[in-house]
Amino acid sequence: MNMLGDKEFIQRMIQCPVDICYNIVEFVYLVSRNSHNEKGIWSEIQAYDTLQRLAKFLLKTNDKMDNKVFLCYWVMCFIRGETWPDSDKIVRTTMDILFQQLDPDNMNENFLFGLKIPKKNLLNCLRRLALNGEFKRAIYKKFKIIKSYIYDGDDKEKFYSLRLLIQLCFDPDLVEHILQERDFCDFLKNFYEIELSKNSKLFHSAESVLWLLNLIKDSDDPSFEPGYRTVVMISFDKCDENLCLKLRKKLESVDFYVITSQNSVRCFGVQNCHVFLALINEKYRLNEYCQIEARYAEHIGKKIIRLNTQESFVEDDGWISSVFNQKFSLNLFGSDLDKSIKVLLNHMKSLSLMDEKISRIKDSKESDKTKSSVSRRASDVLPTYTWSSDQVSEWFEKKTINKSIVANLGKIDGKILAEIYKIKCESVDFFYQRLLAENGDNIKLSDIALFKNCLDELFESSN
């Protein structure tokens, strides 16, 4: 294991034939997959760091991306899809190669540089790439190929294509484009009805897509009778199932009503809870279903508590940091679990949740009215401050914001736009003075009023 982190060993490794290089890199990936919560074995982050080091070395010694570089990036997609060590050009080349192999019209689609790689693996690689907001749009340009696997692929290919589609549905603009594909949406609804009786992985994936597209109604659970107890939702990946069970028993022993990811469909648990607990680790980050729950909990204003279950997990960018930033956080990976849970219970008591009881709505019309007050569309699920600079530019254009204002602001992303809104709210005079000073005669009072109203509309509706 230690050899894999050695620079000299990496230099020797890239001299191997492509298939040997591939096997070694895949070995690192497999080790990382099985290292969760185990001390003394490489963590996923450490494995990623080695692959990153290898890829950087290969890129320095090659003018163009060759087989070995591609193989490194291919595996890196599985480990840290939102962080890339080098230019977008290399990543986009990777996507082009993946789509070439997935294209049904490609006569050589079964082999990649002489290696037979299953289509489901290539689709899964694209799913990892789609975690990055910028790459979602690039992938959508090849939507025809993705649809072909949902239509005609085998069960595994359908499964990973639907999971990829879930990732694309976190972009509100892409949602609008997908909804325009009426024949495809009708196919998804029919497919969902067929799989409904099987309760299969395909059914749950299709259900999640349709829910994000707002093409199916919210679910209901007649057995949901919390009475006057505080309702807690636990969102977790299957790797933390045992920990979730322990936590659930502890909470129920002190009279909390607990709903978990495994017994809650279409975010019923998120809608009806007082507190949302998320068991965070690398696999939670990569789980689309967990991402739906967490984003939705944030959007509808639930009290969110982050429970870290993997010591080595760090994310400075991406959806985890955007949803859980500044939320109460607690580590559960230490040896004294009972002590950590005691701290959690004390914090939950401090939230004064007992005054926020959820009454069971019996009347169906009243229930529909309550649910319709919160849109489930992906445009709502995606917070404004996670927008890319391109999405901000499109918003400026759509709202016809004065071009001089836009030019002086420069290329900004959602976080900067949110800071501008904050300045407007906290220092109104400074906000107006800066706009006038920077734009002079190029703006009118109506331009400033329009910009102010658009900011208010954007951020007040997303709160």
Side-chain angles (χ1 to χ4, degrees), residues 48-296:
Y48 167 75
D49 288 341
T50 291
L51 291 171
Q52 184 185 57
R53 192 182 303 115
L54 174 59
K56 280 186 174 181
F57 180 82
L58 287 167
L59 287 168
K60 287 179 181 178
T61 57
N62 293 277
D63 294 330
K64 59 182 180 179
M65 191 172 81
D66 66 2
N67 303 355
K68 298 169 187 176
V69 178
F70 169 75
L71 292 171
C72 291
Y73 273 93
W74 182 74
V75 179
M76 286 168 68
C77 290
F78 288 88
I79 297 175
R80 298 294 290 174
E82 289 170 275
T83 309
W84 296 92
D86 295 284
S87 67
D88 287 356
K89 183 178 180 181
I90 298 295
V91 181
R92 293 183 188 281
T93 305
T94 301
M95 282 195 290
D96 290 342
I97 294 173
L98 288 170
F99 276 116
Q100 286 172 15
Q101 299 306 308
L102 287 168
D103 192 341
D105 296 329
N106 181 4
M107 301 302 294
N108 299 315
E109 75 270 23
N110 290 326
F111 290 90
L112 186 64
F113 305 128
L115 301 172
K116 190 171 184 179
I117 300 177
K119 300 284 182 60
K120 67 180 181 67
N121 287 12
L122 299 176
L123 288 164
N124 199 20
C125 180
L126 284 171
R127 181 169 72 97
R128 295 289 183 260
L129 282 166
L131 280 165
N132 184 297
E134 295 293 331
F135 301 144
K136 278 182 173 65
R137 298 185 180 194
I139 290 172
Y140 182 74
K141 291 178 181 179
K142 301 288 186 177
F143 190 53
K144 181 179 178 181
I145 294 176
I146 299 169
K147 286 193 298 183
S148 71
Y149 284 96
I150 295 176
Y151 286 136
D152 303 316
D154 60 32
D155 282 356
K156 289 184 178 179
E157 291 165 356
K158 282 185 169 72
F159 174 70
Y160 284 108
S161 298
L162 288 168
R163 295 286 290 269
L164 170 58
L165 185 54
I166 291 172
Q167 281 295 341
L168 298 184
C169 285
F170 288 124
D171 186 314
D173 295 329
L174 297 185
V175 165
E176 298 302 326
H177 289 300
I178 293 169
L179 286 171
Q180 292 173 16
E181 303 256 358
R182 295 186 179 180
D183 290 342
F184 175 66
C185 290
D186 289 340
F187 172 84
L188 280 179
K189 286 188 279 189
N190 292 332
F191 179 77
Y192 163 74
E193 293 295 336
I194 293 170
E195 294 294 325
L196 179 61
S197 61
K198 303 178 185 177
N199 196 29
S200 64
K201 287 184 177 180
L202 289 174
F203 156 69
H204 290 296
S205 298
E207 180 184 51
S208 296
V209 171
L210 291 171
W211 191 85
L212 286 168
L213 294 173
N214 205 22
L215 294 177
I216 55 176
K217 295 180 179 179
D218 285 325
S219 63
D220 200 3
D221 183 0
S223 67
F224 178 68
E225 293 288 352
Y228 289 96
R229 287 175 290 176
T230 298
V231 182
V232 178
M233 166 73 183
I234 305 178
S235 176
F236 67 100
D237 180 84
K238 196 171 182 179
C239 67
D240 276 329
E241 192 167 8
N242 291 334
L243 178 58
C244 176
L245 182 61
K246 291 179 183 178
L247 182 58
R248 178 173 189 163
K249 288 181 178 179
K250 286 283 187 181
L251 292 170
E252 289 177 339
S253 70
V254 290
D255 211 28
F256 284 99
Y257 187 95
V258 181
I259 304 174
T260 69
S261 299
Q262 303 302 308
N263 66 357
S264 173
V265 292
R266 297 185 214 164
C267 286
F268 177 84
V270 180
Q271 289 173 330
N272 291 281
C273 72
H274 297 99
V275 185
F276 180 85
L277 305 181
L279 305 185
I280 302 295
N281 55 53
E282 177 70 7
K283 290 175 184 174
Y284 187 94
R285 183 187 79 90
L286 298 176
N287 189 320
E288 285 83 8
Y289 308 127
C290 295
Q291 187 176 167
I292 290 172
E293 292 171 346
R295 285 185 182 276
Y296 189 48

Side-chain angles (χ1 to χ4, degrees), residues 219-463:
S219 63
D220 200 3
D221 183 0
S223 67
F224 178 68
E225 293 288 352
Y228 289 96
R229 287 175 290 176
T230 298
V231 182
V232 178
M233 166 73 183
I234 305 178
S235 176
F236 67 100
D237 180 84
K238 196 171 182 179
C239 67
D240 276 329
E241 192 167 8
N242 291 334
L243 178 58
C244 176
L245 182 61
K246 291 179 183 178
L247 182 58
R248 178 173 189 163
K249 288 181 178 179
K250 286 283 187 181
L251 292 170
E252 289 177 339
S253 70
V254 290
D255 211 28
F256 284 99
Y257 187 95
V258 181
I259 304 174
T260 69
S261 299
Q262 303 302 308
N263 66 357
S264 173
V265 292
R266 297 185 214 164
C267 286
F268 177 84
V270 180
Q271 289 173 330
N272 291 281
C273 72
H274 297 99
V275 185
F276 180 85
L277 305 181
L279 305 185
I280 302 295
N281 55 53
E282 177 70 7
K283 290 175 184 174
Y284 187 94
R285 183 187 79 90
L286 298 176
N287 189 320
E288 285 83 8
Y289 308 127
C290 295
Q291 187 176 167
I292 290 172
E293 292 171 346
R295 285 185 182 276
Y296 189 48
E298 184 196 35
H299 172 68
I300 61 177
K302 295 297 178 179
K303 290 183 171 63
I304 297 175
I305 297 176
R306 171 176 177 161
L307 302 175
N308 303 304
T309 67
Q310 181 180 350
E311 186 173 5
S312 58
F313 177 71
V314 177
E315 187 194 56
D316 297 324
D317 193 11
W319 79 265
I320 290 285
S321 60
S322 70
V323 171
F324 295 97
N325 186 35
Q326 297 182 340
K327 301 293 190 296
F328 179 79
S329 179
L330 186 66
N331 295 331
L332 293 186
F333 51 75
S335 56
D336 197 342
L337 180 61
D338 289 338
K339 185 177 179 181
S340 297
I341 293 178
K342 186 177 180 179
V343 174
L344 170 65
L345 292 174
N346 289 334
H347 176 72
M348 290 171 67
K349 289 177 183 177
S350 72
L351 296 176
S352 302
L353 298 168
M354 303 311 292
D355 297 329
E356 302 176 18
K357 296 304 172 189
I358 296 174
S359 58
R360 179 78 174 135
I361 299 174
K362 297 289 186 182
D363 183 73
S364 60
K365 291 183 179 179
E366 186 181 352
S367 177
D368 289 342
K369 183 179 178 181
T370 301
K371 290 172 181 176
S372 64
S373 67
V374 180
S375 171
R376 300 189 317 271
R377 294 290 288 276
S379 57
D380 293 323
V381 175
L382 187 69
T384 304
Y385 57 78
T386 65
W387 283 6
S388 66
S389 56
D390 288 340
Q391 287 173 302
V392 173
S393 297
E394 287 179 10
W395 181 78
F396 282 148
E397 185 175 349
K398 183 178 179 181
K399 296 297 182 179
T400 62
I401 303 300
N402 180 280
K403 292 182 178 179
S404 177
I405 294 176
V406 174
N408 280 306
L409 288 174
K411 194 171 184 180
I412 62 173
D413 58 16
K415 290 181 180 178
I416 301 300
L417 188 64
E419 286 300 315
I420 292 172
Y421 173 71
K422 185 177 178 181
I423 291 171
K424 182 200 74 67
C425 294
E426 296 178 355
S427 306
V428 179
D429 291 340
F430 177 77
F431 175 77
Y432 290 132
Q433 288 171 7
R434 291 307 303 170
L435 283 178
L436 289 169
E438 292 177 357
N439 298 280
D441 297 332
N442 294 321
I443 59 170
K444 302 176 182 177
L445 182 61
S446 58
D447 294 323
I448 297 176
L450 175 64
F451 185 40
K452 173 193 172 296
N453 288 336
C454 288
L455 284 173
D456 289 341
E457 182 185 70
L458 176 65
F459 286 96
E460 289 176 8
S461 66
S462 63
N463 288 335

Side-chain angles (χ1 to χ4, degrees), residues 17-30:
V18 173
D19 56 341
I20 301 298
C21 181
Y22 168 78
N23 288 335
I24 295 173
V25 175
E26 186 177 44
F27 170 72
V28 176
Y29 162 64
L30 291 173

